[in-house]
Amino acid sequence: MQKIEEMKIQSSADVVLVRQAVRQFAIEVGFGLVDQTKIVTAASELARNTLDYGGGGTVKLETLQEGGRRGLKLTFDDQGPGIPDVDMALKDGFTTGGGLGMGLGGAKRLANEFEIESVVGEGTRVIVVRWK
Amino acid sequence: MDMTHSSKIPEILKIHEADLLSEWNQELIATNTRKGLIKEAELQEECREFLKLLRIAAQSGNLSNIQALEWREVREMLSSISRSRSQKGFTPTETATFIFSFKRPLFDRLRQQLHDSAELGEEVWQATDLLDRLGLLVIEAYQKSREEVILRQQEEMMELSTPVVKLWDGILALPIIGTLDSARTQVVMESLLQKIVETGSEVAIIDITGVPTVDTLTAQHLLKTVTAARLMGADCIISGIRPQIAQTIVYLGIDLTDVTTKATLADAFLMALKRRGTTIARK
Amino acid sequence: MERIPILQMGEFLLVTIQVDMHDRLAMTLQDDLTNRISQTNANGVLIDISALEIVDSFIGRILGNIAKMSRVMDAETVVVGMQPAVAITLVELGLSLTGIRTALNVEKGMALLRATVGEPATEAIATEWDEEDDAED
């Protein structure tokens, strides 16, 4: 049965809650420890981006079932300033926030599917999927 | 198909069950080329059981949809027969013959009982359709049990192929045999790192003497393992790099400068011992 | 305010992170730790992360900062107990935490610190400045 949950990301305590919820979903989907850790880490990076660069937003957690395989899909939404150059933002070491600049690119490497849509002045949506 | 006309097959199965059984048995024994694989008594028992379940299922009047609830016991029985046949070494043909050999006795009986040729044609069609479906079910179950065997063997091979062995107190070795693909590397990586934690070993030797070729992806996986081990506080030594692999590594432009490499497992072991402050002396 | 405790063990400081840290807590730890190094004159810092279920780029950066800052203050940092799944994920993420020394557990980390800091030299100096050594203990 599909499970869906939506959470807000307004503070760094919310980021911790998102990590815990993603862990719970990953366990339910049946991920092994390494896969759990990967998707939780990706969620942590993206939730922080939503908070720090998007000025807060939401995340939607969904379990997926497609044929025989199961997965977990996370959709991060914010109404922040948007990213002018998405390709640049995906490069390792690129940062405007004083971080290591591994957030987006790192999250992409930790997921099986990665999508980003960003409109300057309107906001950013990042979708990651990890399959079992 | 004319659904208002009810089939005579359920009734025939009911009235002539004993005759059908003995004729079918003879048919099966005549065609059974693999007498060593199954006892006649066992075969007879299977036939008796199947006929009984078939009769019960057929009384429902549904002869076309064997996925329906009333056919469940027949399906389960055939699956279990297929499974045991495949384990005993029967071929798919031999396994399916169990069902198809029932056609002759049943058709003979239909011919005896029905004299209207149109009706006979209709009934034979229904019977053959039903038995074909059951036969296909048998083949599918046979195939499935084979696939399960393959899957289990793959898993066993995966585990067998990644033995992490303790060479000395604090020194582990992982001799890799065969090609490293992504899935396998993940298993190798995880089991090595897990063993490092469990045994508190500070040095792990990854021996690739048995790896036929190294491509960019494999080399990257190896490097990732070495880096992950370092993050945990353990050092990796890669040994057994054969000349052609050394050439490939250089041609591919893979940077192994941060990794300790040794020609043989023995050299790597010696180095690991030295690092731990242990020396070997000949008495 | 929530804080991660810092224990003093002789000339070393020991931090065991046992909670899922939010970012501000990690920043607080960085501040607290550098303050304690200067107060205690510690020459080694041991950070046990065996209970951490993930290390993302932020925590990774904090660990790197602590190592660099303490080095400037003449203290070595060793991070111990990283779980295999965490290490694999960090590598995939693209972080190799270069410049951070690691050990498998607290015991091995201690041994590494002792070997690096060099106890004999410390003892020799300790006899010369007896008073200060007492104050440290």
Side-chain angles (χ1 to χ4, degrees), chain B residues 18-180:
Chain B
D19 294 334
L20 280 168
L21 179 61
S22 79
E23 284 164 34
W24 184 24
N25 253 317
Q26 282 165 15
E27 182 79 25
L28 260 179
I29 289 163
T31 53
N32 182 10
T33 49
R34 306 285 288 269
K35 291 197 173 59
L37 291 178
I38 188 162
K39 289 194 190 75
E40 268 177 32
E42 195 183 334
L43 196 58
Q44 271 172 21
E45 179 55 33
E46 281 174 358
C47 293
R48 209 184 49 75
E49 176 75 12
F50 173 75
L51 260 188
K52 190 185 99 194
L53 294 175
L54 179 69
R55 166 178 48 85
I56 295 170
Q59 299 313 309
S60 69
N62 163 22
L63 296 180
S64 51
N65 179 14
I66 58 162
Q67 294 308 322
L69 190 66
E70 52 267 28
W71 287 90
R72 205 189 70 199
E73 287 194 45
V74 174
R75 289 200 307 270
E76 280 171 5
M77 193 222 166
L78 287 179
S79 298
S80 110
I81 285 184
S82 304
R83 191 174 301 266
S84 83
R85 291 278 200 282
S86 107
Q87 279 160 6
K88 281 177 179 143
F90 281 83
T91 65
T93 307
E94 286 161 349
T95 306
T97 300
F98 176 75
I99 290 297
F100 294 137
S101 62
F102 183 57
K103 279 188 175 178
R104 186 198 287 265
L106 183 60
F107 292 180
D108 282 352
R109 195 57 54 175
L110 287 172
R111 257 197 303 276
Q112 279 173 25
Q113 300 294 317
L114 305 169
H115 305 293
D116 177 66
S117 67
E119 192 187 11
L120 178 62
E122 179 62 32
E123 293 287 8
V124 168
W125 160 249
Q126 282 214 42
T128 197
D129 185 48
L130 172 65
L131 291 178
D132 285 350
R133 282 172 203 270
L134 293 174
L136 287 174
L137 186 92
V138 164
I139 293 292
E140 265 176 35
Y142 180 94
Q143 180 78 13
K144 203 169 156 219
S145 77
R146 274 302 163 101
E147 272 163 16
E148 281 164 11
V149 170
I150 293 171
L151 208 69
R152 205 185 58 234
Q153 282 174 343
Q154 268 177 347
E155 277 167 13
E156 279 168 8
M157 223 160 73
M158 200 79 118
E159 279 163 27
L160 274 181
S161 61
T162 56
V164 183
V165 291
K166 185 175 169 181
L167 288 185
W168 201 266
D169 189 32
I171 304 173
L172 293 179
L174 172 73
I176 304 177
I177 308 213
T179 315
L180 276 176

Side-chain angles (χ1 to χ4, degrees), chain A residues 12-13 16 19-20 23 33-34 37-38 40-41 44-45 48 52 98-100 102-103 106-107 109-110, chain C residues 20-24 53-61 84-86 88-95:
Chain A
S12 69
V16 175
R19 286 205 288 256
Q20 288 163 355
R23 169 84 61 183
L33 186 59
V34 173
T37 311
K38 282 181 178 172
V40 173
T41 307
S44 182
E45 300 292 346
R48 183 177 298 109
D52 291 352
L100 282 174
M102 303 305 281
R109 276 192 296 276
L110 291 175
Chain C
D20 191 352
M21 282 194 296
H22 58 75
D23 295 359
R24 259 185 303 110
E53 287 180 331
I54 69 153
V55 171
D56 60 13
S57 64
F58 186 82
I59 306 292
R61 176 157 65 103
V86 174
I88 291 171
T89 303
L90 264 183
V91 174
E92 211 71 48
L93 190 63
L95 284 182

Side-chain angles (χ1 to χ4, degrees), chain B residues 37 198 235:
Chain B
L37 291 178
E198 280 166 19
D235 278 328

Side-chain angles (χ1 to χ4, degrees), chain B residues 190 193-194 196 200-202 224 227-228 230-233, chain C residues 82 84 87-88 90-92 95-97 102-104 108:
Chain B
E190 281 177 45
L193 299 182
Q194 198 55 52
I196 286 175
S201 301
E202 285 165 325
K224 280 182 188 170
T227 314
R230 193 173 290 159
L231 283 173
M232 291 164 49
Chain C
M82 188 185 290
I88 291 171
L90 264 183
V91 174
E92 211 71 48
L95 284 182
S96 53
L97 301 184
T102 52
L104 288 171
K108 288 181 196 295

